[in-house]
Coordinates of all heavy atoms in Angstrom, one line a residue:
G17 N -6.3 -28.4 7.6 CA -6.3 -29.7 7.0 C -6.2 -29.4 5.4 O -5.6 -28.5 5.0
H18 N -6.8 -30.2 4.6 CA -6.8 -30.1 3.1 C -7.3 -28.9 2.6 O -6.6 -28.3 1.7 CB -7.6 -31.3 2.6 CG -7.4 -31.6 1.2 ND1 -6.2 -31.8 0.4 CD2 -8.3 -31.5 0.2 CE1 -6.4 -31.8 -0.8 NE2 -7.7 -31.7 -1.0
I19 N -8.4 -28.4 3.1 CA -9.0 -27.3 2.5 C -8.0 -26.0 2.9 O -7.9 -25.2 2.0 CB -10.4 -27.0 3.2 CG1 -11.4 -28.1 2.7 CG2 -11.0 -25.7 2.8 CD1 -12.7 -28.1 3.3
S20 N -7.5 -26.0 4.0 CA -6.7 -24.9 4.4 C -5.4 -24.8 3.4 O -5.0 -23.8 3.0 CB -6.1 -25.1 5.8 OG -7.1 -24.8 6.7
R21 N -4.8 -26.0 3.1 CA -3.7 -26.0 2.2 C -4.2 -25.6 0.7 O -3.5 -24.9 0.1 CB -3.1 -27.4 2.1 CG -2.2 -27.7 3.4 CD -1.5 -29.1 3.2 NE -2.3 -30.3 3.0 CZ -2.9 -30.9 4.0 NH1 -2.7 -30.6 5.2 NH2 -3.6 -32.0 3.7
L22 N -5.3 -26.1 0.4 CA -5.8 -25.6 -1.1 C -6.0 -24.2 -1.0 O -5.7 -23.5 -2.0 CB -7.1 -26.4 -1.3 CG -7.0 -27.9 -1.7 CD1 -8.4 -28.5 -1.9 CD2 -6.1 -28.1 -3.0
F23 N -6.7 -23.7 -0.1 CA -6.9 -22.3 0.0 C -5.6 -21.4 -0.1 O -5.6 -20.5 -0.8 CB -7.7 -21.8 1.3 CG -8.1 -20.5 1.4 CD1 -9.4 -20.1 0.8 CD2 -7.3 -19.4 2.0 CE1 -9.9 -18.9 0.9 CE2 -7.8 -18.1 1.8 CZ -9.1 -17.9 1.4
K24 N -4.6 -21.8 0.7 CA -3.3 -21.1 0.7 C -2.6 -21.3 -0.6 O -2.1 -20.3 -1.1 CB -2.4 -21.6 1.8 CG -1.2 -20.8 1.9 CD -0.4 -21.1 3.2 CE 0.7 -20.1 3.3 NZ 1.7 -20.4 4.4
T25 N -2.7 -22.3 -1.2 CA -2.1 -22.5 -2.6 C -2.8 -21.6 -3.6 O -2.1 -20.9 -4.3 CB -2.2 -24.1 -3.1 OG1 -1.6 -25.0 -2.1 CG2 -1.7 -24.2 -4.4
G26 N -4.1 -21.5 -3.6 CA -4.8 -20.7 -4.5 C -4.7 -19.2 -4.2 O -4.7 -18.4 -5.1
M27 N -4.9 -18.8 -3.0 CA -4.9 -17.5 -2.6 C -3.6 -16.9 -2.1 O -3.6 -15.6 -2.0 CB -6.0 -17.3 -1.5 CG -7.4 -17.7 -1.9 SD -8.1 -16.8 -3.2 CE -8.5 -15.2 -2.3
Q28 N -2.7 -17.6 -1.9 CA -1.4 -17.2 -1.4 C -1.2 -16.7 0.0 O -0.4 -16.0 0.4 CB -0.8 -16.2 -2.3 CG -0.7 -16.6 -3.9 CD 0.2 -17.8 -4.1 OE1 1.4 -18.0 -3.5 NE2 -0.3 -19.0 -4.6
V29 N -2.4 -16.9 0.8 CA -2.5 -16.5 2.1 C -3.3 -17.5 2.9 O -4.1 -18.3 2.3 CB -3.1 -15.1 2.4 CG1 -2.3 -14.1 1.7 CG2 -4.5 -15.1 1.8
T30 N -3.2 -17.6 4.2 CA -3.9 -18.6 5.0 C -5.3 -18.0 5.1 O -5.7 -16.9 4.9 CB -3.3 -18.6 6.4 OG1 -3.4 -17.4 7.0 CG2 -1.9 -19.0 6.4
I31 N -6.2 -18.9 5.4 CA -7.7 -18.4 5.6 C -7.8 -17.4 6.7 O -8.5 -16.5 6.5 CB -8.6 -19.8 6.0 CG1 -8.6 -20.6 4.8 CG2 -10.0 -19.4 6.5 CD1 -9.3 -22.1 5.0
S32 N -7.2 -17.5 7.7 CA -7.3 -16.5 8.8 C -6.7 -15.2 8.4 O -7.4 -14.3 8.7 CB -6.5 -17.1 10.1 OG -5.2 -17.3 10.0
T33 N -5.7 -15.2 7.7 CA -5.1 -13.9 7.2 C -6.1 -13.3 6.3 O -6.4 -12.0 6.2 CB -3.8 -14.1 6.6 OG1 -2.8 -14.6 7.5 CG2 -3.2 -12.8 5.9
Y34 N -6.7 -14.1 5.4 CA -7.6 -13.6 4.3 C -8.9 -13.0 5.2 O -9.3 -11.9 4.8 CB -8.1 -14.8 3.4 CG -9.1 -14.4 2.5 CD1 -8.8 -13.8 1.2 CD2 -10.6 -14.5 2.8 CE1 -9.8 -13.4 0.5 CE2 -11.5 -14.1 1.8 CZ -11.0 -13.4 0.6 OH -12.2 -13.1 -0.2
I35 N -9.3 -13.7 6.1 CA -10.4 -13.2 6.9 C -10.2 -11.9 7.6 O -11.0 -10.9 7.5 CB -11.0 -14.2 7.8 CG1 -11.7 -15.4 7.2 CG2 -12.0 -13.7 8.9 CD1 -11.9 -16.6 8.0
V36 N -9.0 -11.8 8.2 CA -8.6 -10.5 8.9 C -8.5 -9.4 7.9 O -9.0 -8.3 8.1 CB -7.2 -10.7 9.7 CG1 -6.6 -9.4 10.0 CG2 -7.5 -11.6 10.8
N37 N -7.8 -9.7 6.8 CA -7.8 -8.6 5.8 C -9.1 -8.2 5.2 O -9.3 -7.0 4.9 CB -6.9 -9.2 4.5 CG -5.4 -9.4 5.0 OD1 -5.0 -8.7 6.0 ND2 -4.7 -10.0 4.2
Y38 N -10.1 -9.1 5.1 CA -11.3 -8.7 4.5 C -12.0 -8.0 5.6 O -12.7 -6.9 5.2 CB -12.2 -10.0 4.2 CG -13.7 -9.8 3.9 CD1 -13.9 -9.6 2.6 CD2 -14.8 -9.9 4.7 CE1 -15.1 -9.4 2.1 CE2 -15.9 -9.7 4.3 CZ -16.2 -9.4 3.0 OH -17.5 -9.2 2.6
R39 N -12.0 -8.3 6.8 CA -12.6 -7.4 8.0 C -11.9 -6.1 8.0 O -12.7 -5.0 8.2 CB -12.3 -8.1 9.3 CG -13.2 -9.4 9.4 CD -12.9 -10.1 10.7 NE -13.9 -11.2 10.8 CZ -14.0 -12.1 11.8 NH1 -13.1 -12.0 12.7 NH2 -14.9 -13.1 11.9
L40 N -10.6 -5.9 7.8 CA -9.9 -4.6 7.8 C -10.4 -3.8 6.6 O -10.7 -2.6 6.8 CB -8.5 -4.7 8.0 CG -8.0 -5.3 9.2 CD1 -6.5 -5.5 9.2 CD2 -8.2 -4.3 10.4
E41 N -10.6 -4.5 5.5 CA -11.1 -3.7 4.3 C -12.5 -3.1 4.5 O -12.8 -2.1 4.2 CB -11.1 -4.6 3.1 CG -11.4 -4.0 1.7 CD -11.3 -5.0 0.7 OE1 -10.3 -5.8 0.6 OE2 -12.3 -5.3 -0.1
K42 N -13.3 -4.0 5.1 CA -14.8 -3.4 5.4 C -14.6 -2.3 6.4 O -15.5 -1.4 6.4 CB -15.5 -4.6 5.9 CG -15.9 -5.7 5.0 CD -16.6 -5.1 3.7 CE -16.8 -6.0 2.6 NZ -17.2 -5.3 1.4
A43 N -13.7 -2.6 7.5 CA -13.6 -1.5 8.5 C -13.1 -0.1 7.9 O -13.6 1.0 8.1 CB -12.6 -1.9 9.6
A44 N -12.2 -0.2 6.9 CA -11.8 0.9 6.2 C -12.9 1.7 5.5 O -12.9 2.9 5.5 CB -10.6 0.6 5.3
Q45 N -13.7 0.9 4.8 CA -14.9 1.4 4.1 C -15.9 2.2 5.0 O -16.2 3.2 4.7 CB -15.7 0.4 3.4 CG -14.9 -0.3 2.2 CD -15.7 -1.4 1.7 OE1 -16.6 -1.9 2.1 NE2 -15.1 -1.9 0.6
L46 N -16.0 1.7 6.3 CA -16.9 2.3 7.2 C -16.2 3.6 7.7 O -16.9 4.6 7.9 CB -17.2 1.3 8.5 CG -18.1 0.0 8.2 CD1 -18.1 -0.8 9.5 CD2 -19.5 0.5 7.9
I47 N -15.0 3.5 8.0 CA -14.2 4.8 8.5 C -14.2 5.8 7.5 O -14.4 6.9 7.7 CB -12.8 4.4 9.0 CG1 -13.0 3.4 10.3 CG2 -12.1 5.5 9.3 CD1 -11.7 2.6 10.5
K48 N -14.0 5.5 6.2 CA -13.8 6.4 5.1 C -15.0 7.2 4.9 O -14.9 8.4 4.7 CB -13.4 5.7 3.8 CG -13.3 6.5 2.6 CD -12.8 5.7 1.4 CE -12.7 6.7 0.2 NZ -12.3 5.9 -1.0
Y49 N -16.1 6.6 5.1 CA -17.5 7.3 4.8 C -18.3 8.0 6.0 O -19.1 8.5 5.9 CB -18.3 6.4 4.0 CG -17.8 6.0 2.7 CD1 -17.3 4.7 2.4 CD2 -17.5 7.0 1.7 CE1 -16.6 4.5 1.2 CE2 -17.1 6.6 0.6 CZ -16.6 5.5 0.2 OH -16.1 5.2 -1.0
D50 N -17.7 7.7 7.2 CA -18.2 8.3 8.4 C -17.4 8.6 9.4 O -16.9 7.7 10.2 CB -19.4 7.3 8.9 CG -20.2 7.8 10.1 OD1 -20.1 8.9 10.4 OD2 -21.1 7.1 10.5
S51 N -17.0 9.8 9.5 CA -15.9 10.3 10.5 C -16.5 10.2 12.0 O -15.8 10.1 12.9 CB -15.5 11.8 10.3 OG -16.6 12.5 10.4
S52 N -17.8 10.2 12.2 CA -18.3 10.2 13.4 C -18.5 8.8 14.1 O -18.7 8.6 15.3 CB -19.7 10.8 13.4 OG -20.6 10.0 12.7
I53 N -18.2 7.8 13.3 CA -18.4 6.4 13.7 C -17.2 6.2 14.8 O -16.1 6.4 14.5 CB -18.5 5.4 12.6 CG1 -18.9 4.0 13.2 CG2 -17.1 5.2 12.0 CD1 -19.3 3.0 12.0
N54 N -17.5 5.6 15.9 CA -16.4 5.2 16.8 C -15.7 4.0 16.6 O -16.4 3.1 15.9 CB -16.8 5.5 18.4 CG -17.8 4.4 18.8 OD1 -17.7 3.2 18.4 ND2 -18.7 4.7 19.6
I55 N -14.5 3.8 17.0 CA -13.8 2.7 16.7 C -14.3 1.5 17.3 O -14.2 0.3 16.7 CB -12.4 2.8 17.1 CG1 -11.7 4.1 16.4 CG2 -11.5 1.6 16.9 CD1 -11.8 4.0 14.9
E56 N -14.9 1.5 18.5 CA -15.5 0.3 19.1 C -16.6 -0.2 18.2 O -16.8 -1.4 18.1 CB -16.1 0.7 20.5 CG -15.0 1.0 21.4 CD -14.5 2.4 21.5 OE1 -15.1 3.2 20.8 OE2 -13.5 2.6 22.1
T57 N -17.4 0.7 17.7 CA -18.5 0.2 16.8 C -18.0 -0.5 15.5 O -18.5 -1.5 15.0 CB -19.4 1.5 16.4 OG1 -19.9 2.0 17.6 CG2 -20.5 1.1 15.4
V58 N -16.9 0.2 14.8 CA -16.4 -0.4 13.7 C -15.8 -1.7 14.0 O -16.1 -2.7 13.2 CB -15.3 0.5 13.1 CG1 -14.5 0.0 11.9 CG2 -15.8 1.9 12.7
S59 N -15.0 -1.7 15.0 CA -14.4 -3.0 15.3 C -15.4 -4.2 15.6 O -15.2 -5.3 15.0 CB -13.5 -2.9 16.6 OG -12.9 -4.0 17.0
S60 N -16.4 -3.9 16.3 CA -17.5 -4.9 16.6 C -18.1 -5.3 15.3 O -18.5 -6.3 15.0 CB -18.4 -4.3 17.6 OG -19.4 -5.2 17.9
A61 N -18.5 -4.1 14.5 CA -19.3 -4.4 13.1 C -18.5 -5.3 12.3 O -19.1 -6.1 11.5 CB -19.5 -3.0 12.6
V62 N -17.1 -5.4 12.3 CA -16.4 -6.3 11.4 C -16.0 -7.5 12.0 O -15.3 -8.4 11.4 CB -15.3 -5.5 10.8 CG1 -15.7 -4.3 10.0 CG2 -14.2 -5.2 11.8
G63 N -16.4 -7.8 13.3 CA -16.2 -9.0 14.0 C -14.9 -9.1 14.7 O -14.4 -10.3 15.2
I64 N -14.3 -8.1 15.0 CA -13.1 -8.0 15.9 C -13.5 -7.3 17.2 O -13.6 -6.2 17.3 CB -11.9 -7.2 15.2 CG1 -11.6 -8.0 13.9 CG2 -10.7 -7.3 16.1 CD1 -10.5 -7.2 13.1
E65 N -13.8 -8.0 18.2 CA -14.3 -7.6 19.6 C -13.3 -6.8 20.3 O -13.7 -6.0 21.0 CB -15.0 -8.8 20.2 CG -16.2 -9.4 19.6 CD -17.2 -8.4 19.3 OE1 -17.5 -7.5 20.0 OE2 -17.8 -8.6 18.2
N66 N -12.0 -7.2 20.3 CA -10.9 -6.4 21.0 C -10.6 -5.2 20.3 O -9.9 -5.3 19.2 CB -9.8 -7.6 21.3 CG -8.8 -6.8 22.1 OD1 -8.5 -5.7 22.1 ND2 -8.3 -7.7 22.9
T67 N -10.9 -4.1 20.7 CA -10.8 -2.9 20.1 C -9.3 -2.5 20.0 O -8.7 -2.0 19.0 CB -11.5 -1.7 20.9 OG1 -12.7 -2.0 20.9 CG2 -11.3 -0.4 20.0
N68 N -8.6 -2.8 21.0 CA -7.1 -2.5 20.9 C -6.3 -3.4 19.9 O -5.5 -2.9 19.2 CB -6.3 -2.8 22.3 CG -6.8 -1.8 23.3 OD1 -7.0 -0.6 23.1 ND2 -6.8 -2.3 24.6
Y69 N -6.7 -4.6 19.8 CA -6.2 -5.5 18.8 C -6.6 -5.0 17.4 O -5.9 -5.0 16.5 CB -6.8 -6.9 19.0 CG -6.4 -8.0 18.1 CD1 -5.0 -8.3 17.7 CD2 -7.3 -8.7 17.0 CE1 -4.7 -9.2 16.8 CE2 -6.9 -9.6 16.2 CZ -5.5 -9.8 16.0 OH -5.2 -10.8 15.2
F70 N -7.9 -4.5 17.2 CA -8.3 -4.0 16.0 C -7.5 -2.8 15.5 O -7.1 -2.7 14.5 CB -9.8 -3.6 16.0 CG -10.2 -2.7 15.0 CD1 -10.6 -3.3 13.7 CD2 -10.4 -1.3 15.1 CE1 -10.9 -2.5 12.6 CE2 -10.7 -0.7 13.9 CZ -11.0 -1.1 12.8
F71 N -7.3 -1.9 16.6 CA -6.5 -0.7 16.4 C -5.1 -1.1 15.8 O -4.6 -0.5 14.7 CB -6.5 0.0 17.7 CG -5.9 1.6 17.4 CD1 -6.7 2.5 17.1 CD2 -4.6 1.8 17.6 CE1 -6.3 3.9 16.9 CE2 -4.1 3.1 17.4 CZ -4.9 4.1 17.1
R72 N -4.4 -2.0 16.5 CA -3.1 -2.5 16.1 C -3.1 -3.0 14.8 O -2.1 -2.7 13.9 CB -2.5 -3.4 17.2 CG -2.1 -2.8 18.5 CD -1.2 -3.7 19.3 NE -1.7 -5.0 19.4 CZ -2.6 -5.5 20.4 NH1 -3.0 -4.6 21.4 NH2 -3.0 -6.7 20.4
L73 N -4.1 -3.8 14.5 CA -4.2 -4.5 13.1 C -4.4 -3.4 12.1 O -3.7 -3.6 10.9 CB -5.3 -5.5 13.0 CG -5.1 -6.9 13.6 CD1 -6.4 -7.6 13.6 CD2 -4.0 -7.6 12.9
F74 N -5.2 -2.6 12.3 CA -5.6 -1.5 11.4 C -4.3 -0.6 11.0 O -4.0 -0.5 9.9 CB -6.7 -0.6 11.9 CG -7.2 0.4 10.7 CD1 -8.3 -0.1 10.0 CD2 -6.6 1.5 10.4 CE1 -8.8 0.8 9.0 CE2 -7.1 2.3 9.5 CZ -8.2 2.0 8.7
K75 N -3.5 -0.2 12.0 CA -2.3 0.6 11.9 C -1.3 -0.2 11.2 O -0.6 0.4 10.3 CB -1.9 1.1 13.2 CG -0.8 2.2 13.1 CD -0.4 3.0 14.3 CE 0.5 4.1 13.9 NZ 0.9 4.9 15.1
K76 N -1.2 -1.5 11.4 CA -0.2 -2.3 10.9 C -0.5 -2.5 9.4 O 0.4 -2.4 8.6 CB -0.1 -3.6 11.6 CG 1.0 -4.6 11.0 CD 1.0 -5.9 11.7 CE 2.0 -6.8 11.0 NZ 2.0 -8.1 11.6
T77 N -1.7 -2.6 9.1 CA -2.1 -2.8 7.7 C -2.1 -1.6 6.8 O -1.6 -1.6 5.8 CB -3.5 -3.4 7.6 OG1 -3.6 -4.6 8.4 CG2 -4.1 -3.7 6.2
Y78 N -2.5 -0.4 7.4 CA -2.7 0.7 6.7 C -1.6 1.8 6.9 O -1.5 2.8 6.2 CB -4.1 1.4 6.9 CG -5.1 0.6 6.2 CD1 -6.0 -0.4 6.9 CD2 -5.3 0.5 4.7 CE1 -7.0 -1.1 6.4 CE2 -6.4 -0.2 4.3 CZ -7.0 -1.0 5.0 OH -8.1 -1.9 4.4
G79 N -0.9 1.5 8.0 CA 0.3 2.5 8.3 C -0.2 3.8 9.0 O 0.7 4.6 9.3
V80 N -1.4 3.9 9.4 CA -2.0 5.0 10.0 C -3.2 4.5 10.9 O -3.6 3.4 10.7 CB -2.6 6.0 8.9 CG1 -1.6 6.6 8.2 CG2 -3.6 5.5 8.1
T81 N -3.5 5.4 11.9 CA -4.6 5.1 12.8 C -5.9 5.2 11.9 O -6.0 5.8 10.9 CB -4.6 6.1 13.9 OG1 -4.9 7.4 13.5 CG2 -3.3 6.1 14.7
P82 N -7.0 4.7 12.4 CA -8.3 4.8 11.8 C -8.7 6.3 11.6 O -9.3 6.6 10.5 CB -9.3 4.1 12.7 CG -8.5 3.1 13.4 CD -7.1 3.7 13.6
R83 N -8.5 7.2 12.6 CA -8.8 8.6 12.4 C -7.9 9.2 11.3 O -8.5 10.0 10.4 CB -8.6 9.4 13.8 CG -8.7 10.8 13.8 CD -10.1 11.3 13.5 NE -11.1 10.7 14.5 CZ -12.4 10.6 14.2 NH1 -13.0 10.8 13.1 NH2 -13.1 10.0 15.3
Q84 N -6.6 8.8 11.3 CA -5.7 9.5 10.2 C -6.1 8.9 9.0 O -6.1 9.7 7.9 CB -4.3 9.1 10.4 CG -3.6 9.6 11.8 CD -2.3 9.0 12.1 OE1 -2.1 7.9 11.9 NE2 -1.4 9.8 12.8
F85 N -6.6 7.7 8.8 CA -7.1 7.1 7.5 C -8.3 7.9 7.1 O -8.3 8.2 5.9 CB -7.4 5.7 7.7 CG -8.0 5.0 6.5 CD1 -7.0 4.4 5.7 CD2 -9.3 4.8 6.3 CE1 -7.6 3.7 4.6 CE2 -9.8 4.2 5.2 CZ -8.9 3.7 4.4
Y86 N -9.2 8.2 8.0 CA -10.4 9.1 7.5 C -9.9 10.3 6.9 O -10.4 10.7 5.9 CB -11.4 9.3 8.8 CG -12.4 10.1 8.1 CD1 -13.5 9.7 7.5 CD2 -12.5 11.6 8.6 CE1 -14.5 10.5 7.1 CE2 -13.4 12.4 8.1 CZ -14.5 11.9 7.3 OH -15.4 12.7 6.9
K87 N -9.0 11.1 7.6 CA -8.6 12.3 7.2 C -7.9 12.2 5.9 O -8.1 13.2 5.1 CB -7.7 13.0 8.4 CG -8.5 13.4 9.6 CD -7.6 14.3 10.5 CE -8.5 14.5 11.8 NZ -9.5 15.4 11.6
L88 N -7.1 11.3 5.7 CA -6.3 11.1 4.4 C -7.1 10.9 3.2 O -7.2 11.6 2.2 CB -5.3 10.0 4.5 CG -4.0 10.3 5.2 CD1 -3.4 8.9 5.4 CD2 -3.2 11.2 4.8
N89 N -8.3 10.1 3.5 CA -9.3 9.9 2.5 C -10.2 11.0 2.2 O -10.7 11.3 1.2 CB -10.1 8.6 2.8 CG -9.3 7.4 2.5 OD1 -9.1 7.1 1.3 ND2 -8.6 6.7 3.4
E90 N -10.5 11.8 3.3 CA -11.3 13.0 3.2 C -10.6 14.0 2.2 O -11.2 14.6 1.5 CB -11.5 13.6 4.5 CG -12.4 14.8 4.5 CD -12.6 15.4 6.0 OE1 -11.6 15.5 6.6 OE2 -13.6 15.8 6.4
K91 N -9.3 14.1 2.4 CA -8.5 15.2 1.5 C -8.5 14.6 0.2 O -8.6 15.4 -0.7 CB -7.2 15.2 2.1 CG -7.1 16.1 3.4 CD -5.7 16.2 3.9 CE -5.7 16.9 5.3 NZ -4.3 17.0 5.9
A92 N -8.3 13.3 0.0 CA -8.2 12.7 -1.3 C -9.6 13.0 -2.1 O -9.6 13.3 -3.3 CB -7.9 11.2 -1.4
D93 N -10.6 12.9 -1.4 CA -12.0 13.0 -2.0 C -12.3 14.4 -2.4 O -13.1 14.7 -3.4 CB -13.1 12.5 -1.0 CG -13.1 11.0 -0.9 OD1 -12.5 10.3 -1.7 OD2 -13.7 10.4 0.1
T94 N -11.8 15.3 -1.6 CA -12.1 16.8 -1.9 C -11.0 17.5 -2.9 O -11.1 18.4 -3.3 CB -12.1 17.7 -0.7 OG1 -10.9 17.5 0.0 CG2 -13.3 17.1 0.2
G95 N -9.9 16.6 -3.2 CA -8.9 17.2 -4.0 C -8.0 18.1 -3.4 O -7.0 18.6 -4.0
L96 N -7.9 18.1 -2.1 CA -6.9 19.0 -1.3 C -5.5 18.2 -1.3 O -5.5 17.1 -1.1 CB -7.4 19.3 0.0 CG -8.7 20.2 0.0 CD1 -9.2 20.3 1.5 CD2 -8.5 21.4 -0.6

């Protein structure tokens, strides 16, 4: 409706895309700081109950799997 159009005009994305991006950003923060956290826990914590769907969204957004994302950030943090 009207609110959705206003949101898209102001934010340049749909509400649903914004929410998914926000959830993936929060997931990336969780993964970045805890290598031992499992993907099911991360997925559920950010409100995406289907782990396979979460995995696909994460890889599409970041270009790497959640595990690869952690390893890349781990190297960046240590200067390697």
Side-chain angles (χ1 to χ4, degrees):
H18 183 67
I19 292 174
S20 294
R21 284 190 299 278
L22 286 174
F23 188 92
K24 187 170 184 178
T25 299
M27 299 297 288
Q28 304 300 310
V29 295
T30 64
I31 291 173
S32 60
T33 299
Y34 178 86
I35 291 169
V36 166
N37 289 340
Y38 180 81
R39 288 176 173 176
L40 290 172
E41 186 178 306
K42 293 301 176 191
Q45 290 173 356
L46 289 171
I47 292 165
K48 182 178 179 181
Y49 296 109
D50 186 357
S51 67
S52 66
I53 194 167
N54 71 36
I55 299 309
E56 292 83 10
T57 301
V58 172
S59 178
S60 181
V62 299
I64 302 173
E65 297 302 325
N66 183 319
T67 304
N68 291 328
Y69 179 63
F70 168 78
F71 193 86
R72 285 193 313 271
L73 283 174
F74 193 93
K75 189 166 184 181
K76 181 180 177 186
T77 301
Y78 291 101
V80 292
T81 66
R83 176 68 57 207
Q84 291 167 329
F85 181 84
Y86 174 79
K87 290 189 180 296
L88 288 170
N89 282 285
E90 180 182 45
K91 288 179 184 175
D93 289 343
T94 60
L96 299 176

